[in-house]
Amino acid sequence: MVEVLKKKNRVIEHKSLYKWHKTWDRLQKSFFLEKYELYEKIKIENFVREHGFQKIFHIKDNYINFSFDTVSDINKADLILVTDQVFSRSTCSQIIQNIVDLLEKCPCVFVCLNRHYLNITGTDTDESLPDDYEQAIHTWLEKSLGVSIENYSQKFIDDGKYFTWVLPDQKFYIRKK
Amino acid sequence: MKIIKHYSELQKKKIDLKSSYIRYRTGKIKHELWLKSRKSNETYITQYDEYILENLQAGNTGIFGSAGYFLEDCIDNLTVIEQEEIVKTFYPKATIVKTRDQIGNLFPNHFDNFIVTNNRADLWVDERGLCKHINEYKKAMKNGCLFFYSMRDTQFTPWNRLKFNHYEIFIALAKKIEQLGFECLESQMDFANGDGNENPDTTNGNIKYLFKCTE
């Protein structure tokens, strides 16, 4: 291959260049004229209100301004809410174990998973799951956890404009048996 | 207050220079390498850029949608092609195109190397959509042109990640691209190990192909 130009010395940059994630919601809001709230955020607030939860322990990685109060001690929670994107980037078996561990702390868990991250390692495929991906996620959770799960997800084909990286799109209410 | 599900329900602010620049920067993370390099006696690149530089062939090189101006001190005869007008304000040599078909119109059978690295504008398409994009890039390539293409598995849609083998999905994609008139010389697919990171190379994309244009 050809010897490329060497006007300057080259330095390999090893660190990841991503840096906006924690304030992504606020940054996106600055791009638009109108003030808005996400339908998916309101949906979670309505869920919390309608079920009468008052002590929510929120596991998050970016800033989301929910209207309800949260508790800082997981052991005092009546609901654990997971919106942390990193939660979806574990192996499938680890995600299940993490949910089981949360159910040990609190019998009610509302988990938001980012469909684009699931099976992040690419090694946990199950050919018996439904072809429909959204249905497959629900089936995988029920099959793995052995409990009935309420699905609060919207049906849509993601084109990157549904704010999935603010609030993970697949939403499930899971209760301990 | 308006309650929305999708970007399309919102009206974008009239774009001033500052907002355009912020929007551009959030979408083109390798712009940071240029910011760092232009004030330095050294050029900052990634490991994958080094791989590209080691494999380039002599002649004209085009780089599209990849903030490729940071490579200007590393590549002779480099043409930087972008879609955002804002790029002209800090890199006047850039060629701006509105649509991909303009690349082939402006540079028909021109390039010996063509690079697209984790281009956000290429994301959120399926196999058919991606092949359509690549077919446009191909019009700017000479026969024998090397085509370096990389992307993130998490933003290729739609596919059932729980049911289908990930490697097979992206090998099948390479075969589809080959049908456009390419030979896949090399590929690299690195998925996350479950440590919480999205993949080992979110900057460049964890799915990397090197094709040779054969027609």
Side-chain angles (χ1 to χ4, degrees), chain B residues 64-157:
Chain B
F64 174 63
S66 312
Y69 33 84
F70 74 98
L71 291 171
E72 72 169 355
D73 289 325
C74 302
I75 303 175
D76 259 334
N77 302 321
L78 177 69
T79 302
V80 174
I81 309 167
E82 290 287 339
Q83 287 190 288
E84 303 292 334
E85 286 288 344
I86 189 72
V87 179
K88 276 275 188 197
T89 63
F90 56 82
Y91 189 76
K93 284 187 274 180
T95 299
I96 307 298
V97 295
K98 290 272 180 223
T99 51
R100 289 175 183 77
D101 60 312
Q102 289 179 300
I103 302 172
N105 292 337
L106 290 167
F107 305 102
N109 303 311
H110 178 74
F111 293 113
D112 300 279
N113 307 288
F114 198 80
I115 305 163
V116 182
T117 304
N118 194 15
N119 178 17
R120 281 206 142 187
D122 277 11
L123 304 176
W124 303 111
V125 290
D126 58 10
E127 184 183 273
R128 232 171 102 187
L130 186 61
C131 284
K132 201 175 161 194
H133 293 336
I134 290 175
N135 216 20
E136 294 300 338
Y137 305 147
K138 186 172 175 286
K139 291 171 186 168
M141 299 180 201
K142 286 180 188 167
N143 192 359
C145 175
L146 293 179
F147 177 39
F148 301 83
Y149 193 84
S150 66
M151 60 189 287
R152 291 156 72 184
D153 73 291
T154 51
Q155 293 176 9
F156 180 68
T157 195

Side-chain angles (χ1 to χ4, degrees), chain A residues 74-109:
Chain A
I74 194 168
N75 296 306
K76 291 180 180 163
D78 57 9
L79 175 75
I80 296 174
L81 168 65
V82 182
T83 63
D84 188 349
Q85 301 276 351
V86 179
F87 197 87
S88 306
R89 298 203 296 251
S90 297
T91 60
C92 287
S93 52
Q94 190 60 54
I95 290 172
I96 297 302
Q97 187 56 52
N98 289 343
I99 294 172
V100 168
D101 291 346
L102 291 177
L103 288 168
E104 286 302 314
K105 302 264 184 196
C106 173
C108 301
V109 173

Side-chain angles (χ1 to χ4, degrees), chain A residues 1 5 8-11 13 18 28 30-31 33-34 37 39 89 118-119 126 129-131 159, chain B residues 2 4 6-7 11 13 36-37 40 43 45 50 55-56 74 76 152 160-163 166 196:
Chain A
M1 295 295 172
L5 270 180
K8 290 185 189 176
N9 286 331
R10 301 199 295 258
V11 177
E13 179 65 85
Y18 275 92
Q28 281 185 318
S30 72
F31 297 155
L33 267 181
E34 306 127 293
E37 277 299 357
Y39 175 86
R89 298 203 296 251
L118 295 178
N119 191 9
D126 177 352
L129 291 172
D131 286 339
D159 60 358
Chain B
K2 195 167 182 177
I4 56 115
H6 190 266
Y7 274 24
Q11 206 182 334
K13 273 186 185 163
K36 214 168 161 181
S37 300
S40 168
T43 298
I45 62 172
E50 182 70 8
N55 285 281
L56 286 176
C74 302
D76 259 334
R152 291 156 72 184
N160 188 333
R161 295 178 61 90
L162 291 173
K163 187 159 179 156
H166 294 201

Side-chain angles (χ1 to χ4, degrees), chain A residues 19-32 34-42 45 58 60-66 83 85 162-168, chain B residues 1 4 7 10 26:
Chain A
K19 59 167 78 167
W20 289 279
H21 177 66
K22 285 190 191 306
T23 54
W24 189 229
D25 184 32
R26 279 188 285 191
L27 182 63
Q28 281 185 318
K29 280 182 169 151
S30 72
F31 297 155
F32 300 104
E34 306 127 293
K35 291 199 167 181
Y36 67 88
E37 277 299 357
L38 299 182
Y39 175 86
E40 294 294 290
K41 174 176 169 267
I42 302 291
E45 288 174 343
H58 186 192
K60 61 181 177 180
D61 62 339
N62 60 344
Y63 176 84
I64 305 167
N65 187 24
F66 282 115
T83 63
Q85 301 276 351
Y162 281 93
F163 304 92
T164 303
W165 269 261
V166 175
L167 264 176
Chain B
M1 191 178 297
I4 56 115
Y7 274 24
L10 292 166
T26 57

